[in-house]
Amino acid sequence: MTASPSDGTTSSRSWRRWVAAAVLLVFFAVLMWEVINPYRGQRFEKIPHGDHVHYVPKDRNPDVPVGRFPTRKPDPDQRITPDGQVVPARESTTP
């Protein structure tokens, strides 16, 4: 008994579907990682706000409106406090 030509195409289609499913799974996994971890090693996140962006720190105070955060990226020797102030990186916020 010999295999019909349609058996080969069915096997080929099945293999392609598995590869396509694996590629989609990897794509969605990377996409979800970006959504879950927006900082990705950054000190702050850019949040769009109208026609400009605000730079917000990881430890942002949720009670402070986005509009109180800076629209200019802080220098490497600066940081943003949870309340939106740009201060030198060495300065402590606790008295």
Side-chain angles (χ1 to χ4, degrees):
M1 193 178 341
T2 61
S4 66
S6 65
D7 289 341
T9 57
T10 302
S11 174
S12 177
R13 286 184 191 154
S14 176
W15 180 79
R16 288 181 194 161
R17 285 184 183 169
W18 280 107
V19 169
V23 168
L24 285 174
L25 181 64
V26 168
F27 172 75
F28 283 117
V30 169
L31 182 66
M32 288 306 296
W33 179 253
E34 295 289 324
V35 169
I36 292 170
N37 186 13
Y39 294 100
R40 296 175 295 283
Q42 298 293 322
R43 299 178 298 145
F44 44 80
E45 177 183 15
K46 288 175 25 177
I47 296 182
H49 191 231
D51 61 348
H52 58 281
V53 296
H54 288 272
Y55 292 89
V56 179
K58 294 179 184 180
D59 59 348
R60 172 188 173 210
N61 180 350
D63 296 330
V64 177
V66 172
R68 294 213 13 220
F69 289 90
T71 56
R72 181 186 63 82
K73 184 177 180 178
D75 294 332
D77 63 338
Q78 295 178 325
R79 67 180 183 84
I80 305 170
T81 65
D83 295 329
Q85 296 176 328
V86 177
V87 296
R90 293 177 299 281
E91 185 179 309
S92 175
T93 57
T94 54

